[in-house]
Amino acid sequence: MENELINLKNNALSLILEAEDEKELEEIKLQFLGRSGKLTQAIRKLPKIDIEKRKELGVLANEVKETIEASVDEKKKQLKKGILMSKIRKIDVTNPGIKPQIGHLHLVTQAISEITSIFEKIGFVRVRYPEVEWDWYAFEALNFPKDHPARDDWETFFIDGASHKKYGPMLLTPHTSSGQIREMSNAVKSSVSGEISPIKMLNIAKCYRRQSDVSHTPMFHQFEGLAIDKNLSIVNLKGVLDYFVKSYFGEKRVSRIRPYHFEFTEPSFEVDVSCGVCNGQGCSLCKDGWLELGGAGMVHPNVLKNTGIDPDKFNGFAFGWGVERALMMKDGLEIDDLRLIYSNKLEFLEQF
Ligand code: DAH
């Protein structure tokens, strides 16, 4: 038995010495120390041996086991070092380098920058407000009735267990209009004897709704404009719309407003843009020559009052549109499934 153990050790060590890679080393280890390995089988015979001798052999068997393990580890280290050295030897410093892959901004980020610079030219200032918000800012102060369907948790994501004494439940902003309330409240806070500074705000942010299909993703972006001053009118709103439509979609495109209903504007409109494919003549894409962009209107007096602004002194207009939607309405951009934008597929993203 003693000889058997010593032979096993010698046998293993010579194999380890010759091994050429890690895989081979693992196989050797298995061959000796595995469940049915040679050493394991030899150890299984120990209980049959008489007690005095058994102790001695037990110690020896253990030693053999530890020696094999340590030799395998040592050889692994040597192999690794060898690979590194051979790699270093192979480096040719005169070789031209491998060009790193250069990425670019995501197409939604590009659209956000373009939209921002268009509005900045006419004095709108980009702001950022929370995208995890209290109900007051997203609904209540915007004049939404308590039972409005958008306040249902089928439409809006509410945060479990978080609620403010004054501002109600916490939610993920379902639209960027919450920024209107933040902006007007801030203007009131910094006003001097009831005189607020005029506002020209552009709030671009992430919005969240429980929806997912070819034209909806649960997370999307909106850009929201708000102008507050004295004696603003629908004419000012229409001028801004036309300016944006021509700057973003092209000189040939025009805007049109249709009466609509929103809780926070009075009167309210739906804004359409003439179709770029048929130039407003009517085609299979647009049907009647127009594509719907989003909502707009004159700020409701209740909304002004809710933020502390006197509706007899100030008025304003607002608009809110989807970034992805505006992007898809650009000429020649035929994205037939909005979800592609967030799919992280390089074949798609590299085209922009
Ligand atoms: N917040 C509205 C929505 O998400 C869009 C909207 C409509 C924004 C009219 C406005 C507005 O500022 O005046 O559907």
Side-chain angles (χ1 to χ4, degrees):
M1 178 81 182
E2 197 172 340
N3 279 346
E4 186 186 348
L5 289 173
I6 292 171
N7 280 343
L8 278 178
K9 181 169 94 174
N10 291 340
N11 196 336
L13 291 184
S14 62
L15 287 172
I16 293 168
L17 202 69
E18 296 297 317
E20 285 178 350
D21 55 32
E22 273 206 33
K23 192 171 160 255
E24 204 179 317
L25 281 169
E26 284 306 322
E27 276 164 17
I28 297 170
K29 207 167 158 182
L30 209 68
Q31 192 185 329
F32 288 88
L33 310 181
R35 271 170 139 262
S36 47
K38 288 179 187 168
L39 183 67
T40 319
Q41 273 174 4
I43 291 173
R44 276 201 200 117
K45 286 191 262 174
L46 281 178
K48 289 191 198 118
I49 290 167
D50 110 5
I51 184 85
E52 279 310 304
K53 191 78 186 145
R54 199 192 306 163
K55 267 192 197 158
E56 216 177 279
L57 288 172
V59 174
L60 179 65
N62 219 18
E63 236 177 70
V64 172
K65 185 171 172 247
E66 281 168 8
T67 309
I68 296 177
E69 278 169 346
S71 309
V72 166
D73 288 348
E74 182 54 30
K75 179 75 184 187
K76 273 190 193 166
K77 271 190 216 148
Q78 282 175 11
L79 284 174
K80 268 197 191 127
K81 222 167 152 189
I83 292 171
L84 189 67
M85 287 314 286
S86 67
K87 270 194 184 150
I88 290 174
R89 255 178 258 121
K90 275 187 210 144
I91 289 176
D92 175 357
V93 289
T94 63
N95 260 347
I98 301 166
K99 272 200 182 158
Q101 245 193 330
I102 297 177
H104 62 70
L105 293 175
H106 189 273
L107 76 162
V108 170
T109 312
Q110 292 177 36
I112 290 174
S113 314
E114 190 182 350
I115 293 165
T116 307
S117 73
I118 290 173
F119 281 106
E120 274 174 355
K121 287 196 183 108
I122 54 168
F124 282 81
V125 177
R126 169 119 192 244
V127 295
R128 284 163 202 271
Y129 288 121
E131 290 165 354
V132 181
E133 193 49 290
W134 303 111
D135 174 276
W136 167 261
Y137 295 94
F139 294 126
E140 189 70 27
L142 283 165
N143 205 31
F144 276 76
K146 285 265 183 279
D147 56 358
H148 193 282
R151 293 175 88 154
D152 199 318
D153 60 7
W154 279 100
E155 275 283 336
T156 303
F157 293 103
F158 286 91
I159 312 285
D160 269 355
S163 192
H164 190 286
K165 302 202 272 310
K166 224 162 111 193
Y167 300 134
M170 191 187 265
L171 42 80
L172 301 184
T173 46
H175 56 181
T176 41
S177 303
S178 48
Q180 292 190 27
I181 304 301
R182 289 264 173 198
E183 181 77 12
M184 289 189 268
S185 307
N186 284 348
V188 169
K189 266 187 226 146
S190 50
S191 64
V192 182
S193 55
E195 277 299 311
I196 57 156
S197 308
I199 293 171
K200 265 173 143 182
M201 166 203 94
L202 182 68
N203 179 33
I204 309 185
K206 292 187 182 73
C207 301
Y208 304 86
R209 290 186 200 174
R210 293 178 63 136
Q211 51 186 18
S212 179
D213 57 43
V214 288
S215 53
H216 296 95
T217 47
M219 186 282 300
F220 58 105
H221 296 79
Q222 283 188 342
F223 56 113
E224 181 98 12
L226 171 73
I228 301 286
D229 208 334
K230 290 177 177 160
N231 304 317
L232 288 174
S233 74
I234 297 172
V235 177
N236 301 110
L237 168 62
K238 185 69 168 66
V240 170
L241 300 183
D242 274 334
Y243 162 76
F244 173 73
V245 165
K246 290 197 187 302
S247 313
Y248 188 71
F249 297 105
E251 269 307 312
K252 281 204 250 152
R253 314 278 289 267
V254 290
S255 75
R256 127 183 132 171
I257 51 177
R258 274 182 290 119
Y260 200 72
H261 172 75
F262 292 106
E263 308 296 340
F264 39 95
T265 41
E266 184 58 38
S268 302
F269 311 103
E270 199 77 87
V271 181
D272 297 332
V273 179
S274 59
C275 174
V277 175
C278 61
N279 244 330
Q281 301 305 304
C283 66
S284 61
L285 174 74
C286 63
K287 312 272 182 304
D288 64 348
W290 297 94
L291 297 167
E292 196 182 298
L293 182 59
M298 301 305 291
V299 180
H300 196 294
N302 286 353
V303 175
L304 294 170
K305 269 190 240 161
N306 286 339
T307 62
I309 295 178
D310 181 354
D312 292 328
K313 271 192 180 166
F314 292 93
N315 74 342
F317 61 82
F319 51 88
W321 306 321
V323 173
E324 291 84 348
R325 191 179 175 80
L327 185 68
M328 284 168 81
M329 285 164 59
K330 273 209 160 189
D331 278 0
L333 217 78
E334 278 152 34
I335 302 173
D336 53 9
D337 189 338
L338 194 70
R339 290 169 295 192
L340 258 179
I341 294 181
Y342 296 111
S343 64
N344 269 352
K345 286 204 173 81
L346 284 182
E347 304 92 297
F348 173 76
L349 294 171
E350 278 169 352
Q351 296 174 49
F352 301 94

